[in-house]
Amino acid sequence: MRMNKKYSCLPAEEKGIHIINIRAIEDIGYDQHESTLLNSLSKNPDADCKYGLYFRDGKRKVDYILVYHYKKSSAGRTLARRPQQNDASVRSSRQDQPLPGKGVQLEMGDSEPHMDYHEDDKRFRREEYEGNLVEAGLELERDEDTKIHGIGFVKIHAPWNVLCREAEFLKLKMPTKKMYQINQTHGLLKKINSVIQKITEPIQPKVAEHKPQTVKRLSYPFSREKQHLFDLSDKDSFFDSKTRSTIVYEILKRTTCTKAKYSMGITSLLANGVYSAAYPLHDGDYEGENVEPNDRKLLCEEWASYGVFYKYQPIDLVRKYFGEKIGLYFAWLGVYTQMLIPASIVGIIVFLYGCATVDENIPSMEMCDQRNNITMCPLCDKTCSYWKMSSACATARASHLFDNPATVFFSVFMALWAATFMEHWKRKQMRLNYRWDLTGFEEEEEAVKDHPRAEYEAKVLEKSLRKEHKHKETDKEKLTWKDRFPAYLTNFVGIIFMVGLTFAIVFGVIIYRISTAAALAISSTPSGRSSVRVTVTATAVIINLVVIIILDEVYGCIARWLTQIEVPKTDKNFEERLIFKAFLLKFVNAYTPIFYVAFFKGRFVGRPGDYVYIFHSFRMEECAPGGCLMELCIQLSIIMLGKQLIQNNLFEIGIPKMKKFIRYLKLKRRRSLDHEEHMKKKQRYEVDYNLEPFAGLTPEYMEMIIQFGFVTLFVASFPLAPLFALLNNIIEIRLDAKKFVTELRRPVAVRAKDIGIWYNILRGIGKLAVIINAFVISFTSDFIPRLVYLYMYSENGTMHGFVNHTLSSFNVSDFQAGTAPNDPLDLGYEVQICRYKDYREPPWSENKYDISKDFWAVLAARLAFVIVFQNLVMFMSEFVDWIIPDIPKDISQQIHKEKVLMVEVFMREEQGKLQMLETWKDKDKRKGENCNNHSPRLSRSRSGSLSSCHSYPLDV
């Protein structure tokens, strides 16, 4: 390799300490030029480079930054550059000076030099990699004279010819010179749109990109052969900073370093510590005096501020700055938040309906009526005594707030809402694809840049080396299912173990609830005994919340590790497998306690005299007299609000602030050693290096998907869930925006036309929500038993007598030995018959305590309701899906219009070429006729004249 030859001319002890000039590869159709790795040494370096946004010459913009650690004291070596005469033709005079931070003569005394071979290996790899980048056409500049000691920066600039070459390779759509009018509405629709625009003007961001467009430029995949089609009036802004950084990142991934067992791209170099970071730069500062206007500052003012929470998001500017993938996330989050507004309004109406009708609810009135004198069986053995049903009056009244006929309507509404939301997002996504010129972006084009991951290539190389060593075969290898079988087995066992761990923790919380309830029942104070159920429920839910938050972080790390050992081939495959594992584990973690309360609590209790025991000591939990729906509501609300408050907000605000404060303390400790360095203003790349690295959108999507589950899956038990989700998302949008703009390094822009696998997960949750809500209404609430009683057993067509109908009788003489209450006269009278909630035969029946016919009638009604509700709501959802087109009509017309205009442009170009050729032929023919009418003087050299005549057009 040419790079190795040029480095070999340096002495061994000086290899890699200085950067040398290397001629770039000549691009087809462009003049060859010199790309130079320049020393960052100047008398006034910050005057023209805008504090790190440009190279030292103030002309070439910094498109990307590579960061590495180096040791100033490399043990006994002279790091100053000594000029060599045998390679003077390769180096410039400036490179004979020491690099900043390296021109220090070390005094080691008489001790022998100690060679740090690990650091040398990293340095040699950096040298080769940077040389390969130069050969790829990039221009580099190194800076080690920074305020951060021991940190070096390599600034990368992509010249025009490299940008054009890579844009053509990546098939980037760029604006052409052709402009056309966007179809506008007419008549009544135009007036309505103008009125809406005037009304919503105060909540529109003051951003140029957000204004309605009337004209649009045609876009076409960039081609160097067709540069005349594109608007190249300003070459400096033709490729914006987002596009430039994307192009450089693609080159960084494609370029390899071979000074290792296998070729290493930028991801492997980062993983092995050769470079410590790689990132594009932010456009500038976002706050402070005399800050030049830039997109980052505009985003901070009009988007990443809590003061503009009521405004629409400037999605087009977000896409311009961060790329399509992040733009689509915030667009989806905005659509989701907007759609929560009608759901919140309906939820509030349902809740208010429950509040308004609570005094008219006959079952709760009967439970609260002390004249009924219903004596209930003990809630635990020995220590618990008999109790009055009227003591559960508050619980019964509170249950009606969420367990009323409006709940069924709200469940149907939310199922249709979920379907409408998905269709609305698909239409919004198509509009964004049209505006962002992604309509022709296909998976095949994305595959152009979907390189194999470095870890995959390393595994393939190891496999090929083993096979070559054994069988001498050199065929191209790939990882098969046999190679991945140990990883697949580990994944299966690991996921099963994690799910089992979640179930075990939930079971432990159940034991805690049962034992705590038994312990509190022994309390001598009446207030302690009366608040047993509330105390146990609240503390158990808080324990569940803490465990869920801790396991969420643990499961995220485990999911990443399990995905890494699978060694997926591409980054896309890696991301999809990681999302699937993380979602599966976090879904089970978040919803298992809620599923227990909704479908299992109180189902396997037994009956007085024949209870079900755990470990032969603790009785299974029973639901409250008003049902388990109220406990389900408490469980859902505390977990949902706790996750949103602690995990989504406090963690996102607190952890970055804490990390930033720790970095500040470290830097302050270093600055105290050098006051002169402290007084210098930091370069842009130094400021960005102190920011948090971008960790991907998976955590952001995950918390919203889990919240979407809370809003849809158990909404029948908690109608206020959409309201709390709406309030959280209003803060979440600005919180995420502030994090992206001010707390994180600028991520590399990634093209995407949709939200990927997350859309399928959302659709799956929407389908599952219909089934779960059907079971919640049927089996958890008392809606179906009330209907059965009203139409089958009620004597006067009212709900009077419903409570008594749902209670069975038990003769206290049938208690098992040692389970009867210790104080049977606690109520002041002797109890002969106590009541419990179940459908069983009375003790005076022939088949006493057997399941009664009423139980089977209610069960049949419940199953029938599940089938009818599920099929009806599914049909309505599919109807909504079918009736709303995925692509808006105006967008489909505009896309068709663009295709027609593009065809016209190319037809005109071809016609122009044909006319030019015909013109040349006519000129050639006329010239030939002139040559036939030659003068006598030319007749003696006719053949020569004709030949010269015919060669004239070729010369032209």
Side-chain angles (χ1 to χ4, degrees):
M1 186 178 180
R2 181 174 59 185
M3 184 67 192
N4 294 336
K5 293 179 181 178
K6 292 193 176 183
Y7 272 111
S8 63
C9 65
L10 296 176
E13 68 274 8
E14 292 184 356
K15 285 184 181 179
I17 297 177
H18 282 266
I19 305 176
I20 58 179
N21 293 339
I22 304 174
R23 183 171 295 276
I25 297 176
E26 181 180 1
D27 281 297
I28 298 176
Y30 294 94
D31 294 333
Q32 193 175 12
H33 69 283
E34 285 287 326
S35 293
T36 309
L37 253 67
L38 300 175
N39 284 326
S40 302
L41 189 63
S42 177
K43 294 181 180 178
N44 189 12
D46 300 332
D48 300 323
C49 67
K50 295 185 179 180
Y51 293 100
L53 290 174
Y54 288 82
F55 275 24
R56 292 294 180 183
D57 56 13
K59 299 178 181 178
R60 291 172 293 174
K61 187 175 182 179
V62 177
D63 298 320
Y64 219 88
I65 291 292
L66 299 179
V67 187
Y68 60 91
H69 291 271
Y70 69 91
K71 293 185 178 180
K72 289 190 175 183
S73 55
S74 188
R77 262 181 286 180
T78 300
L79 298 181
R81 172 71 174 166
R82 295 199 300 268
Q84 302 291 325
Q85 305 205 358
N86 56 351
D87 59 348
S89 62
V90 182
R91 300 182 304 274
S92 63
S93 60
R94 287 186 63 187
Q95 288 170 319
D96 293 335
Q97 303 174 6
L99 287 176
K102 287 194 174 184
V104 181
Q105 178 70 36
L106 300 172
E107 297 179 2
M108 297 296 296
D110 297 330
S111 62
E112 293 184 3
H114 171 71
M115 302 296 290
D116 191 343
Y117 294 103
H118 186 61
E119 292 297 324
D120 288 344
D121 179 63
K122 290 183 180 180
R123 180 164 47 83
F124 292 153
R125 293 187 192 181
R126 286 197 296 269
E127 291 167 3
E128 184 193 6
Y129 185 72
E130 291 165 8
N132 293 341
L133 292 179
V134 173
E135 288 188 351
L138 299 178
E139 298 176 0
L140 313 184
E141 183 178 79
R142 178 174 293 175
D143 185 6
E144 292 181 356
D145 186 19
T146 64
K147 295 183 70 174
I148 308 176
H149 293 280
I151 300 294
F153 297 89
V154 176
K155 296 173 279 187
I156 303 177
H157 168 77
W160 172 257
N161 60 328
V162 174
L163 294 173
C164 294
R165 180 191 71 202
E166 296 297 322
E168 182 176 359
F169 174 71
L170 296 174
K171 299 181 181 179
L172 296 181
K173 274 192 170 185
M174 305 303 294
T176 62
K177 297 177 182 177
K178 178 66 176 177
M179 301 181 69
Y180 69 95
Q181 289 283 338
I182 298 178
N183 294 337
Q184 300 293 324
T185 56
H186 301 284
L188 181 62
L189 287 178
K190 185 177 181 180
K191 294 181 180 179
I192 294 175
N193 289 338
S194 62
V195 171
I196 293 175
Q197 189 173 351
K198 289 180 181 179
I199 294 174
T200 59
E201 186 175 358
I203 61 176
Q204 300 291 344
K206 299 177 182 178
V207 176
E209 286 80 358
H210 197 76
K211 295 179 180 179
Q213 294 180 340
T214 57
V215 294
K216 188 177 184 292
R217 287 188 180 273
L218 277 177
S219 296
Y220 186 74
F222 187 82
S223 173
R224 288 176 287 180
E225 296 179 355
K226 300 183 183 298
Q227 288 194 35
H228 57 280
L229 296 177
F230 298 93
D231 183 18
L232 301 178
S233 56
D234 186 5
K235 288 188 176 182
D236 293 336
S237 61
F238 183 72
F239 295 105
D240 56 15
S241 58
K242 165 184 68 72
T243 307
R244 296 175 71 98
S245 62
T246 302
I247 288 174
V248 173
Y249 180 66
E250 292 300 322
I251 298 176
L252 292 177
K253 288 199 302 183
R254 195 169 64 240
T255 306
T256 58
C257 168
T258 58
K259 286 188 176 180
K261 294 181 180 179
Y262 55 91
S263 59
M264 304 176 69
I266 185 61
T267 53
S268 296
L269 294 173
L270 289 169
N272 286 274
V274 178
Y275 291 102
S276 58
Y279 52 88
L281 292 179
H282 281 291
D283 281 356
D285 292 325
Y286 60 90
E287 60 182 358
E289 298 180 358
N290 302 323
V291 176
E292 295 184 1
N294 57 72
D295 287 343
R296 189 188 186 194
K297 184 175 185 294
L298 186 59
L299 283 171
C300 187
E301 294 173 350
E302 294 294 329
W303 182 50
S305 173
Y306 295 110
V308 294
F309 73 92
Y310 59 92
K311 289 188 176 183
Y312 286 100
Q313 299 182 85
I315 293 297
D316 291 323
L317 183 60
V318 175
R319 173 253 179 181
K320 177 185 175 184
Y321 193 80
F322 291 109
E324 287 79 6
K325 192 170 185 178
I326 294 177
L328 281 172
Y329 163 70
F330 281 103
W332 172 83
L333 184 56
V335 170
Y336 172 46
T337 304
Q338 289 176 6
M339 290 293 293
L340 282 173
I341 296 176
S344 302
I345 294 174
V346 177
I348 293 173
I349 293 174
V350 169
F351 179 74
L352 293 178
Y353 171 82
C355 295
T357 59
V358 67
D359 292 330
E360 302 173 2
N361 184 40
I362 296 176
S364 61
M365 292 170 60
E366 288 184 348
M367 291 183 64
C368 296
D369 190 356
Q370 296 183 1
R371 294 174 298 178
N372 288 334
N373 196 27
I374 299 177
T375 303
M376 303 297 294
C377 295
L379 296 176
C380 62
D381 295 340
K382 294 184 180 181
T383 56
C384 299
S385 185
Y386 304 104
W387 56 284
K388 292 284 190 178
M389 174 171 274
S390 58
S391 64
C393 177
T395 305
R397 291 174 63 86
S399 297
H400 179 73
L401 301 179
F402 305 100
D403 188 4
N404 54 71
T407 304
V408 181
F409 160 76
F410 190 58
S411 300
V412 177
F413 171 81
M414 288 303 296
L416 299 180
W417 173 87
T420 307
F421 163 61
M422 301 305 295
E423 291 304 310
H424 179 44
W425 166 243
K426 282 196 290 187
R427 292 170 63 85
K428 178 68 173 180
Q429 190 171 256
M430 282 305 303
R431 290 189 181 277
L432 293 177
N433 286 342
Y434 166 71
R435 269 168 34 198
W436 297 349
D437 298 319
L438 295 171
T439 51
F441 177 69
E442 301 296 340
E443 297 298 330
E444 292 79 9
E445 298 179 19
E446 189 178 8
V448 172
K449 61 175 184 177
D450 216 356
H451 308 289
R453 297 173 64 247
E455 293 82 356
Y456 179 84
E457 291 182 335
K459 286 287 185 181
V460 169
L461 182 61
E462 291 179 5
K463 179 181 177 182
S464 61
L465 290 176
R466 289 196 305 267
K467 199 168 184 180
E468 183 179 356
H469 179 70
K470 292 181 179 180
H471 306 289
K472 304 294 182 182
E473 293 181 4
T474 58
D475 294 338
K476 187 175 181 180
E477 295 290 340
K478 63 179 182 180
L479 296 183
T480 62
W481 69 270
K482 293 182 180 179
D483 301 316
R484 291 194 173 103
F485 180 75
Y488 289 155
L489 182 61
T490 305
N491 271 261
F492 178 76
V493 174
I495 291 176
I496 294 297
F497 175 77
M498 292 301 126
V499 173
L501 176 64
T502 304
F503 289 164
I505 292 175
V506 172
F507 182 74
V509 175
I510 295 172
I511 299 298
Y512 162 80
R513 294 165 65 114
I514 296 173
S515 58
T516 305
L520 291 177
I522 307 175
S523 174
S524 58
T525 60
S527 60
R529 290 195 297 269
S530 63
S531 60
V532 168
R533 193 178 297 274
V534 176
T535 304
V536 170
T537 301
T539 55
V541 172
I542 292 174
I543 293 173
N544 276 326
L545 175 62
V546 174
V547 170
I548 287 172
I549 293 175
I550 294 174
L551 288 184
D552 260 0
E553 304 301 322
V554 175
Y555 286 168
C557 299
I558 291 176
R560 179 170 292 276
W561 176 74
L562 291 175
T563 308
Q564 287 174 345
I565 64 175
E566 280 189 42
V567 195
K569 183 175 182 179
T570 62
D571 289 332
K572 183 179 180 181
N573 291 340
F574 181 89
E575 183 181 19
E576 289 181 350
R577 296 186 184 192
L578 173 62
I579 289 171
F580 174 76
K581 294 181 183 64
F583 173 74
L584 177 63
L585 294 175
K586 293 188 177 184
F587 181 89
V588 172
N589 181 41
Y591 294 109
T592 300
I594 301 174
F595 270 93
Y596 164 72
V597 175
F599 303 120
F600 296 99
K601 184 179 179 180
R603 308 294 174 189
F604 312 101
V605 177
R607 60 170 180 81
D610 188 20
Y611 283 113
V612 177
Y613 291 89
I614 299 178
F615 304 133
H616 303 286
S617 301
F618 302 107
R619 272 170 47 181
M620 288 293 293
E621 290 184 285
E622 296 183 45
C623 290
C628 280
L629 197 68
M630 187 60 196
E631 292 187 43
L632 177 61
C633 175
I634 295 173
Q635 184 101 359
L636 182 65
S637 59
I638 293 180
I639 292 178
M640 178 182 177
L641 298 178
K643 274 180 64 67
Q644 290 182 168
L645 179 64
I646 299 174
Q647 193 173 26
N648 298 357
N649 294 331
L650 293 183
F651 279 14
E652 289 190 10
I653 296 174
I655 292 179
K657 293 290 185 185
M658 188 181 301
K659 290 181 178 179
K660 191 174 182 180
F661 180 70
I662 293 173
R663 287 195 302 269
Y664 169 77
L665 293 179
K666 290 181 179 179
L667 292 175
K668 188 176 181 181
R669 192 179 300 113
R670 291 177 179 176
R671 290 170 186 169
S672 62
L673 302 176
D674 194 340
H675 180 70
E676 183 180 351
E677 290 287 332
H678 175 63
M679 298 305 294
K680 289 166 53 180
K681 182 177 179 180
K682 278 188 175 182
Q683 303 289 331
R684 177 78 263 153
Y685 43 85
E686 295 179 83
V687 176
D688 288 1
Y689 176 71
N690 290 326
L691 299 177
E692 279 292 304
F694 175 63
L697 288 172
T698 300
E700 314 299 333
Y701 272 114
M702 189 66 70
E703 64 186 54
M704 288 295 105
I705 297 297
I706 297 296
Q707 183 204 83
F708 182 78
F710 284 127
V711 170
T712 56
L713 291 180
F714 296 94
V715 73
S717 64
F718 190 39
L720 296 180
L723 175 64
F724 289 112
L726 173 64
L727 298 176
N728 174 80
N729 288 4
I730 292 174
I731 301 174
E732 180 74 20
I733 290 176
R734 306 304 164 179
L735 181 63
D736 284 347
K738 195 172 186 64
K739 181 173 66 175
F740 272 83
V741 174
T742 64
E743 301 288 343
L744 297 179
R745 296 172 189 162
R746 187 174 184 177
V748 179
V750 178
R751 286 190 299 169
K753 64 183 300 183
D754 52 40
I755 60 175
I757 193 176
W758 296 110
Y759 180 81
N760 298 328
I761 293 176
L762 285 169
R763 284 189 65 87
I765 292 177
K767 301 293 184 185
L768 183 63
V770 177
I771 301 173
I772 290 180
N773 281 307
F775 276 95
V776 168
I777 295 172
S778 297
F779 289 90
T780 308
S781 75
D782 282 338
F783 177 74
I784 299 301
R786 288 172 184 171
L787 285 181
V788 172
Y789 176 79
L790 184 64
Y791 292 104
M792 291 183 63
Y793 300 103
S794 178
E795 297 178 356
N796 53 8
T798 65
M799 293 301 296
H800 289 287
F802 170 74
V803 174
N804 186 64
H805 179 264
T806 59
L807 297 177
S808 298
S809 301
F810 178 76
N811 193 330
V812 297
S813 62
D814 293 332
F815 272 121
Q816 291 181 354
T819 61
N822 294 332
D823 186 8
L825 300 177
D826 185 57
L827 294 178
Y829 57 87
E830 184 179 0
V831 177
Q832 298 293 334
I833 299 293
C834 67
R835 310 295 296 274
Y836 61 99
K837 191 170 183 179
D838 204 348
Y839 292 99
R840 290 182 179 271
E841 297 291 344
W844 51 84
S845 173
E846 294 181 1
N847 303 315
K848 64 178 183 178
Y849 307 134
D850 286 349
I851 294 175
S852 65
K853 294 184 296 182
D854 299 343
F855 172 84
W856 299 112
V858 172
L859 179 61
R862 282 173 166 169
L863 294 176
F865 177 84
V866 169
I867 295 173
V868 173
F869 182 89
Q870 176 182 337
N871 287 278
L872 178 62
V873 175
M874 287 285 189
F875 171 77
M876 296 172 68
S877 300
E878 293 298 329
F879 180 75
V880 171
D881 191 358
W882 172 77
I883 200 173
I884 300 177
D886 294 344
I887 304 177
K889 186 177 180 180
D890 59 326
I891 296 299
S892 60
Q893 292 175 351
Q894 297 288 2
I895 294 173
H896 178 70
K897 184 178 181 180
E898 276 196 354
K899 292 180 179 179
V900 172
L901 290 175
M902 188 56 66
V903 171
E904 290 180 0
V905 168
F906 283 112
M907 290 297 294
R908 289 175 185 172
E909 184 185 6
E910 293 299 323
Q911 290 174 359
K913 289 180 181 179
L914 290 175
Q915 290 177 359
M916 188 177 296
L917 289 174
E918 290 176 359
T919 303
W920 286 351
K921 288 181 180 180
D922 292 340
K923 288 183 179 180
D924 186 18
K925 187 175 181 180
R926 287 196 299 270
K927 198 66 179 177
E929 292 175 355
N930 293 336
C931 290
N932 289 335
N933 299 326
H934 55 80
S935 61
R937 184 175 59 181
L938 294 176
S939 62
R940 292 189 294 270
S941 58
R942 180 182 179 188
S943 60
S945 300
L946 286 174
S947 62
S948 64
C949 177
H950 285 288
S951 65
Y952 174 73
L954 297 178
D955 294 338
V956 173

